[in-house]
Amino acid sequence: MSKTNKPAYGGQAVVEGVMFGGKNHYVTAIRRKDRTLEFFKLPRKTNEKLGTLKKIPFVRGIVAILEASANGTKHLNFSSERYDVDPSNDHKIEEKNGQSKMSMIFGVALMGVLTFLFGKFIFTLVPLFLAELTRPIFSTDFSQIMVEGLFKLIFLLAYIYFISLTPMIRRVFQYHGAEHKVINCYEGGLPLTVENVQKQSRLHYRCGSSFILFTVIVGVFVYMLVPTDPLWVRVINRIALIPVVLGIAFEVLQFTNSLRNVPVLRFLGYPGLWLQLLTTKDPENDQVEVAIASFSELLRMEEETRLETEQIV
């Protein structure tokens, strides 16, 4: 299979592991306390209505983001429950979760979506109120929007920087780097070995970190279309425009990814790559091993499903 015909895979770092998603499956591999690897696998369920929405530009991004938040939280919950537990005590986890497995999974997914939405509201409104405090100095709509965007950017960078100082988040960022390196190695057509993967860049154009930054940039332009005064109108506009900003930012992310091999235009994705210098760290070899194991298992399951489908047809 040529590089250009390879399917696009996505991933997410979790606590002491990496999750990868394909067309039919999601797979997470984590490093347990005894240094063994454990996998968590879920089918990628298809929904006809969601499938239709994913084909609509500017709408598909919102659906994809909410779906990723719900699914990613399930895998993050799995990793955080087990990474520091000795495997001999797994029965305690199963006893806690076994009574209502389906309701627990649904609850975790819902919590992931709600957490994302709450975070987006905070990230949108706090810079707004800070900018409003500067209105005596920056009174025009244009200056207010620029100051608001500046506060939002500072808020984002400061938040990422300070959480990266904690040992656990730093390791998550290392696994994030391992995830990108594995994808880059695969898309480069190289065998998935620790040596080959470690040679790859820890940055990737399709990363969700880039998406977050694009929401800031896109927001500045979208907010130019609505008034900033009075304050209550500004607040309502910002809340109402959250889906619009998310939808456009997703399309911008897809657009910059499609241009990453065009020498003159690839720079359009650089701001997102620069942010990844904060959200990714160079992984250790054993972390790369976890990422390779997760991705290899996903590839195996995807190929198995493809062969089964061909036999049915």
Side-chain angles (χ1 to χ4, degrees), residues 30-36 38 82-83 85 87 90:
I30 64 169
R31 181 81 72 180
R32 297 295 300 272
K33 190 174 183 178
D34 64 350
R35 310 302 297 166
T36 60
E38 182 172 351
R82 295 174 179 268
Y83 82 98
V85 176
D90 281 355

Side-chain angles (χ1 to χ4, degrees), residues 70-89:
N71 181 73
T73 305
K74 299 175 191 175
H75 292 262
L76 186 60
N77 186 67
F78 166 82
S79 65
S80 61
E81 276 189 337
R82 295 174 179 268
Y83 82 98
D84 63 344
V85 176
D86 192 283
S88 62
N89 293 322

Side-chain angles (χ1 to χ4, degrees), residues 43-261:
R44 187 165 196 159
K45 297 180 180 179
T46 57
N47 183 293
E48 188 174 336
K49 292 183 179 179
L50 290 181
T52 301
L53 292 176
K54 287 181 181 179
K55 297 177 183 178
I56 304 175
F58 303 105
V59 174
R60 61 183 179 177
I62 301 171
V63 177
I65 293 161
L66 294 179
E67 186 179 50
S69 298
N71 181 73
T73 305
K74 299 175 191 175
H75 292 262
L76 186 60
N77 186 67
F78 166 82
S79 65
S80 61
E81 276 189 337
R82 295 174 179 268
Y83 82 98
D84 63 344
V85 176
D86 192 283
S88 62
N89 293 322
D90 281 355
H91 63 280
K92 296 181 180 178
I93 300 175
E94 298 300 330
E95 289 173 1
K96 183 179 71 174
N97 297 335
Q99 293 181 348
S100 183
K101 189 73 173 179
M102 289 306 299
S103 61
M104 182 201 71
I105 291 177
F106 176 78
V108 168
L110 179 61
M111 184 58 65
V113 172
L114 294 177
T115 300
F116 168 79
L117 293 176
F118 178 75
K120 185 58 184 170
F121 270 76
I122 295 297
F123 182 70
T124 298
L125 296 180
V126 170
L128 181 158
F129 288 114
L130 291 176
E132 187 68 23
L133 293 176
T134 70
R135 189 174 285 279
I137 303 173
F138 304 101
S139 58
T140 66
D141 283 357
F142 177 81
S143 61
Q144 273 293 297
I145 292 169
M146 297 305 295
V147 170
E148 181 182 343
L150 179 61
F151 275 127
K152 191 174 292 186
L153 181 61
I154 294 172
F155 188 37
L156 172 65
L157 297 179
Y159 173 76
I160 294 174
Y161 172 74
F162 284 113
I163 65 170
S164 71
L165 298 179
T166 64
M168 176 179 287
I169 298 301
R170 178 176 177 80
R171 285 192 63 80
V172 170
F173 283 179
Q174 285 181 295
Y175 278 108
H176 190 191
E179 173 223 324
H180 285 181
K181 283 174 175 279
V182 166
I183 292 293
N184 284 327
C185 187
Y186 170 78
E187 293 180 344
L190 299 174
L192 293 176
T193 64
V194 173
E195 182 180 6
N196 286 340
V197 170
Q198 285 286 38
K199 292 178 181 178
Q200 306 303 310
S201 170
R202 73 177 199 261
L203 312 180
H204 198 285
Y205 272 76
R206 288 198 309 273
C207 178
S209 302
S210 299
F211 168 76
I212 295 172
L213 183 59
F214 285 142
T215 63
V216 177
I217 299 172
V218 167
V220 169
F221 290 97
V222 171
Y223 299 155
M224 293 289 184
L225 304 176
V226 295
T228 63
D229 192 49
L231 178 60
W232 68 269
V233 171
R234 189 176 184 180
V235 171
I236 291 175
N237 284 335
R238 295 302 182 267
I239 295 175
L241 288 172
I242 286 177
V244 177
V245 172
L246 292 178
I248 297 175
F250 183 84
E251 299 301 325
V252 172
L253 179 65
Q254 300 301 307
F255 180 66
T256 57
N257 180 60
S258 68
L259 298 175
R260 61 177 173 164
N261 294 318

Side-chain angles (χ1 to χ4, degrees), residues 9-10 20-21 27 29 39 182-183 186 192 290-300:
Y9 293 100
F20 285 104
V27 175
F39 294 91
V182 166
I183 292 293
Y186 170 78
L192 293 176
V290 176
I292 291 175
S294 177
F295 191 63
S296 298
E297 179 63 13
L298 175 67
L299 292 180
R300 185 195 68 78

